[in-house]
Amino acid sequence: MMAATWSDILLEWWAHLIARHPGIRWAKDWSVSIASLASGVGTLFIFRRGIEYFPWFVGYLLLLWLTAVVFSHSRQALAARGRRVVGLVVDYTVQTLSHGLLLFLLPIYYASTTLTSRNVSFLVLLAAAALLTTIDPWYRRTIARFWWVEPFLFWFGLFASLNVAFPLLRVRSSWGLHLSGLLSVLALTPVFHTPGIPWRAAILRTGACSIAAAFLLWPVRGWIPPVPLRLARATLARTVTDLEPDQPISQIAAADLREWGSIACFTAVNAPAGLREPIYHVWRRNGAVVARVALSPIRGGRLGGFRTYSRKLDPGEGPALWSVDVLTAHDQLIGRVFLTVTP
């Protein structure tokens, strides 16, 4: 008969303690949830000043994340050696790191999301992932029932982080999106390596999956916010003078607009220092595209955002709903502004 390990003894002691004191049973299910929430809130507080801390934070956290991926791959070996407590510590470490990373990303993606567009879906998915990793009982039951949830959360957190990090390295959003998909899948190679799959096969599988991910992200790019680009200011106006809107409006009578003869759309876009990104204004009247205007590439680093504008001559007759989408060169939506023309 195999002698009991210290981890078995510790778990048995914990079981007896719960049996004798049922009032502390909640700690078994909710202690990790509380710790994860506290660490996430602490992360937000420490790095509350903004994205300038992101390169250091994500570098440190990604290193821990990748270490956790490698540790999670060793679960079977730990279990075989009877080190159940060590395995639980590794599992909870992975969960806590996941939660901290996802929670830190939430305000960054929120700032870049247009809530009236389809890219809000990505923000909702990010929030759901952060919530799942916060509530330990939900997380444990979910990964026990659906084995693919945990590697998906690994990939999702890495992808969302790299998608923010690459523009900080002056990589354009289109290239950064594909590189994020490629590298985030490659980073999961240890997950594909199991006792029945050698390293060579695992590398080939992740390589094929990473290339597929890079290509598959292209048709869904419109569903992903163009982080860390965000719209600092946007308005329709009578005109723009010295790169400032003159007589900004959100609603105007058709007769007044006819008298003006034209309207201008002013936008200021925040971007990381050193980044140059082409952008477009797409004008719509009652949902129909009437113009697509190429603007000067934004130059990041300017306090208050890079200011630019476009103008629409002969804005038409009668009441209408105007909108202007601010897009990257590859149609990721940075922001949207509306104008209501009343009778």
Side-chain angles (χ1 to χ4, degrees), residues 128-210:
L131 180 63
L132 178 62
T133 55
T134 301
I135 310 301
D136 183 58
W138 295 356
Y139 180 78
R140 290 293 145 201
R141 284 196 294 266
T142 301
I143 64 173
R145 185 174 180 182
F146 306 103
W147 66 268
W148 51 268
V149 169
E150 191 174 43
F152 172 78
L153 289 174
F154 284 158
W155 172 81
F156 187 63
L158 287 172
F159 167 74
S161 301
L162 292 172
N163 194 38
V164 176
F166 276 118
L168 297 175
L169 300 175
R170 305 183 182 184
V171 177
R172 287 186 179 179
S173 58
S174 56
W175 284 101
L177 185 67
H178 297 306
L179 287 172
S180 299
L182 186 77
L183 295 179
S184 59
V185 175
L186 284 176
L188 297 181
T189 300
V191 175
F192 285 82
H193 174 58
T194 63
I197 302 176
W199 277 107
R200 181 177 179 180
I203 293 172
L204 289 175
R205 289 188 181 189
T206 52
C209 290
S210 64

Side-chain angles (χ1 to χ4, degrees), residues 61-293:
L61 201 49
L62 286 179
L63 178 61
L64 292 180
W65 181 278
L66 292 174
T67 303
V69 171
V70 175
F71 281 167
S72 68
H73 176 66
S74 64
R75 284 183 190 143
Q76 293 182 351
L78 291 172
R81 296 174 185 175
R83 299 181 179 178
R84 296 169 58 194
V85 172
V86 178
L88 288 173
V89 170
V90 169
D91 288 346
Y92 286 134
T93 300
V94 171
Q95 178 185 345
T96 302
L97 290 176
S98 301
H99 171 70
L101 181 60
L102 294 169
L103 191 62
F104 178 76
L105 291 170
L106 266 177
I108 299 174
Y109 275 87
Y110 176 80
S112 296
T113 298
T114 303
L115 299 179
T116 58
S117 75
R118 58 185 176 175
N119 66 22
V120 73
S121 303
F122 191 91
L123 179 67
V124 171
L125 182 59
L126 187 65
L131 180 63
L132 178 62
T133 55
T134 301
I135 310 301
D136 183 58
W138 295 356
Y139 180 78
R140 290 293 145 201
R141 284 196 294 266
T142 301
I143 64 173
R145 185 174 180 182
F146 306 103
W147 66 268
W148 51 268
V149 169
E150 191 174 43
F152 172 78
L153 289 174
F154 284 158
W155 172 81
F156 187 63
L158 287 172
F159 167 74
S161 301
L162 292 172
N163 194 38
V164 176
F166 276 118
L168 297 175
L169 300 175
R170 305 183 182 184
V171 177
R172 287 186 179 179
S173 58
S174 56
W175 284 101
L177 185 67
H178 297 306
L179 287 172
S180 299
L182 186 77
L183 295 179
S184 59
V185 175
L186 284 176
L188 297 181
T189 300
V191 175
F192 285 82
H193 174 58
T194 63
I197 302 176
W199 277 107
R200 181 177 179 180
I203 293 172
L204 289 175
R205 289 188 181 189
T206 52
C209 290
S210 64
I211 294 172
F215 280 102
L216 290 174
L217 284 169
W218 179 255
V220 300
R221 64 193 183 281
W223 296 79
I224 303 172
V227 285
L229 303 178
R230 65 181 181 88
L231 206 57
R233 286 193 296 159
T235 185
L236 276 298
R238 182 170 188 172
T239 187
V240 175
T241 305
D242 296 329
L243 288 180
E244 284 295 331
D246 183 14
Q247 292 184 247
I249 52 172
S250 60
Q251 182 173 303
I252 189 173
D256 294 335
L257 184 59
R258 185 167 55 251
E259 180 184 344
W260 287 5
S262 67
I263 49 176
C265 179
F266 166 87
T267 55
V269 179
N270 273 336
L275 181 68
R276 289 178 60 87
E277 183 85 29
I279 63 170
Y280 291 81
H281 280 179
V282 177
W283 289 74
R284 287 184 171 88
R285 186 176 189 273
N286 294 329
V289 176
V290 296
R292 181 183 174 96
V293 182

Side-chain angles (χ1 to χ4, degrees), residues 23-46:
I24 66 170
R25 185 179 295 275
W26 65 270
K28 179 178 182 293
D29 294 330
W30 296 100
S31 57
V32 174
S33 302
I34 295 171
S36 294
L37 183 60
S39 66
V41 172
T43 296
L44 288 175
F45 178 77
I46 293 171

